[in-house]
């Protein structure tokens, strides 16, 4: 087994490879003057099972293209099989036609990854589980629920907790955490009048006197979470914590969080945010590296990945 890292999240790749006691494949990844990407693999990988780790986070198109070229380079170097490990799977939110004559980016990206040479995909908290069906190769979708549940059980003892889904689409994910923690569930009815703008319509559930744990897959502009926190406070919540897998954190999201009613936002390291959040004391990172390393080990040994979540 060999591990090759793209350049989008080197820190996570290094942490995973350290846990697997496997050195990262020696590569030369650079940009030509016009921005085109050049990939060269500097060691023999013929007959090896290779895991390529690359999040397709900002700059999304560059990181996606880099992943595709890595897959192609591996295919042309006679790797035995190639697994695309995509901790954050960009373009996943456009998973259906939301209006006539729009594209379905998640499907286009799935086609590209398969065509470029991936035999398998490993990702984390896919925006919608059904994206697995956009591929005709196996897709292992890892969940952060056990990581968050362990942390909450250890850190939030003696609090009256309730898990809150910030929109109807996230109910299944939030219910998973609420079940593990044996807490109640509240649901926010969110509308999106236009892309990037969110509006809270209703709250289903009683949050009065409780510490709310908002759970979501992505924080992008921060609008969804900040609006949700406002409503929860107005309805009598005592404090608000947020658990989100992918910290996209576009624009002034970190400033919005800093000035919001949120007590603490926990994100994982599927996206490298070390620079963005270094001066923000409201945002903390929980690492997903052990979970990803264990999943890679199990895939490599052909043992069960789903057992990790039972
Ligand atoms: C939407 O369905 C996602 O699960 C997130 O709620 C959304 O992407 C968050 O976006 P923003 O932070 O821009 O409101």
């Amino acid at each position: 087994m060999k591990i090759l890292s793209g350049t989008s999240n080197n820190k996570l790749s290094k942490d995973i490879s350290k846990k697997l006691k496997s050195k990262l494949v020696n590569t030369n990844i650079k940009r030509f003057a016009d921005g085109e990407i050049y990939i060269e693999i500097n060691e023999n990988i013929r007959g090896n099972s290779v895991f390529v780790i690359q999040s397709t986070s900002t700059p999304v198109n560059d990181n996606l293209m880099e992943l595709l070229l890595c897959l192609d380079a591996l295919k042309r170097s006679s790797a035995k099989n190639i697994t695309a490990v995509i901790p954050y799977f960009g373009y996943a939110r456009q998973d259906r036609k939301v209006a006539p004559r729009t594209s379905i980016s998640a499907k286009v990206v799935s086609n590209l990854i398969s065509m470029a040479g991936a035999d398998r995909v490993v990702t984390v908290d896919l925006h919608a589980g059904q994206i697995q069906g956009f591929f005709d190769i196996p897709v292992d979708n890892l969940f952060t629920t056990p990581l968050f549940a362990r942390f909450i059980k250890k850190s939030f003892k003696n609090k009256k907790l309730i898990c809150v889904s910030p929109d109807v689409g996230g109910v299944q994910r939030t219910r998973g955490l609420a079940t593990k923690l044996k807490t109640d569930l509240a649901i926010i009815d969110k509308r999106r009048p236009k892309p990037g703008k969110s509006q809270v319509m209703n709250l289903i559930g009683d949050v009065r006197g409780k510490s709310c744990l908002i759970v979501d897959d992505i924080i992008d502009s921060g609008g969804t979470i900040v609006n949700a926190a406002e409503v929860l406070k107005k309805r009598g919540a005592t404090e608000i914590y947020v658990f989100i897998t992918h910290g996209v954190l576009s624009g002034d999201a970190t400033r919005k969080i800093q000035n919001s009613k949120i007590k603490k936002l926990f994100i994982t390291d599927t996206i490298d945010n070390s620079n963005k959040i270094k001066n923000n004391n409201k945002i903390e990172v929980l690492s997903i590296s052990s979970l990803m390393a264990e999943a890679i080990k199990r895939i490599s040994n052909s043992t069960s990945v789903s057992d990790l979540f039972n």
Side-chain angles (χ1 to χ4, degrees):
M1 177 188 71
K2 294 205 177 205
I3 300 174
L4 187 153
S5 177
T7 59
S8 70
N9 195 341
N10 254 312
K11 161 102 177 53
L12 178 64
S13 301
K14 280 189 190 146
D15 290 348
I16 293 173
S17 74
K18 213 187 267 169
K19 292 202 158 92
L20 290 168
K21 297 189 175 60
S22 165
K23 264 187 27 203
L24 292 173
V25 170
N26 185 338
T27 54
N28 182 14
I29 303 181
K30 57 183 191 187
R31 303 282 188 269
F32 289 109
D34 63 353
E36 285 185 8
I37 299 164
Y38 173 79
I39 311 267
E40 187 178 2
I41 300 171
N42 295 326
E43 60 186 87
N44 179 30
I45 46 100
R46 188 180 294 275
N48 286 121
S49 297
V50 187
F51 292 80
V52 187
I53 304 178
Q54 172 81 332
S55 275
T56 48
S57 49
T58 313
V60 184
N61 300 330
D62 273 13
N63 284 334
L64 173 62
M65 194 64 196
E66 195 182 289
L67 170 66
L68 298 174
L69 295 188
C70 284
L71 295 170
D72 184 65
L74 287 167
K75 189 172 66 178
R76 292 174 195 281
S77 314
S78 307
K80 188 166 105 205
N81 50 61
I82 307 165
T83 302
V85 181
I86 312 171
Y88 171 66
F89 190 103
Y91 275 119
R93 281 173 286 179
Q94 296 174 64
D95 57 0
R96 63 196 178 285
K97 283 180 75 171
V98 286
R101 300 178 295 283
T102 55
S103 75
I104 303 179
S105 64
K107 174 64 182 157
V108 176
V109 168
S110 307
N111 285 347
L112 290 171
I113 290 168
S114 301
M115 292 287 298
D119 299 298
R120 170 185 293 275
V121 170
V122 177
T123 186
V124 182
D125 279 344
L126 258 183
H127 178 63
Q130 56 270 29
I131 294 171
Q132 289 170 92
F134 292 0
F135 288 93
D136 285 324
I137 53 174
V139 178
D140 288 302
N141 182 24
L142 311 179
F143 304 109
T144 47
T145 314
L147 172 78
F148 288 158
R150 255 195 322 273
F151 176 84
I152 293 164
K153 279 184 189 159
K154 200 173 76 197
S155 318
F156 294 151
K157 287 184 184 137
N158 309 320
K159 282 189 194 286
K160 220 167 144 195
L161 300 173
I162 183 164
C163 291
V164 183
S165 177
D167 54 32
V168 176
V171 171
Q172 201 190 355
R173 183 179 304 114
T174 311
R175 189 180 288 128
L177 187 64
T179 308
K180 274 202 185 301
L181 297 173
K182 300 190 175 63
T183 69
D184 285 339
L185 172 71
I187 301 164
I188 288 173
D189 172 22
K190 174 185 95 174
R191 300 284 154 84
R192 247 194 215 291
K194 55 180 181 177
K197 284 261 163 289
S198 70
Q199 201 178 346
V200 173
M201 308 302 285
N202 280 302
L203 170 70
I204 307 160
D206 182 11
V207 298
R208 192 163 301 279
K210 293 180 191 159
S211 301
C212 293
L213 310 173
I214 307 180
V215 187
D216 208 352
D217 60 333
I218 296 171
I219 178 163
D220 189 347
S221 67
T224 300
I225 297 305
V226 169
N227 290 346
E230 289 279 340
V231 169
L232 294 172
K233 266 282 175 189
K234 274 191 198 137
R235 298 290 182 96
T238 49
E239 46 185 11
I240 292 143
Y241 298 94
V242 182
F243 287 82
I244 297 202
T245 309
H246 309 294
V248 174
L249 297 172
S250 309
D252 62 348
T254 53
R255 191 187 50 80
K256 273 193 210 156
I257 299 297
Q258 190 69 44
N259 300 335
S260 74
K261 301 266 190 295
I262 294 162
K263 189 143 185 201
K264 200 105 194 180
L265 162 66
F266 298 91
I267 51 176
T268 76
D269 49 0
T270 56
I271 297 173
D272 184 5
N273 278 305
S274 15
N275 282 335
K276 261 188 212 168
I277 65 171
K278 63 175 176 250
N279 297 321
N280 195 312
N281 57 14
K282 274 199 183 179
I283 306 180
E284 205 174 299
V285 177
L286 304 177
S287 182
I288 190 113
S289 57
S290 300
L291 175 72
M292 298 210 70
E294 185 57 33
I296 290 173
K297 190 154 71 186
R298 286 170 183 237
I299 292 166
S300 180
N301 297 338
S302 299
T303 54
S304 170
V305 172
S306 64
D307 272 359
L308 272 172
F309 305 101
N310 294 335

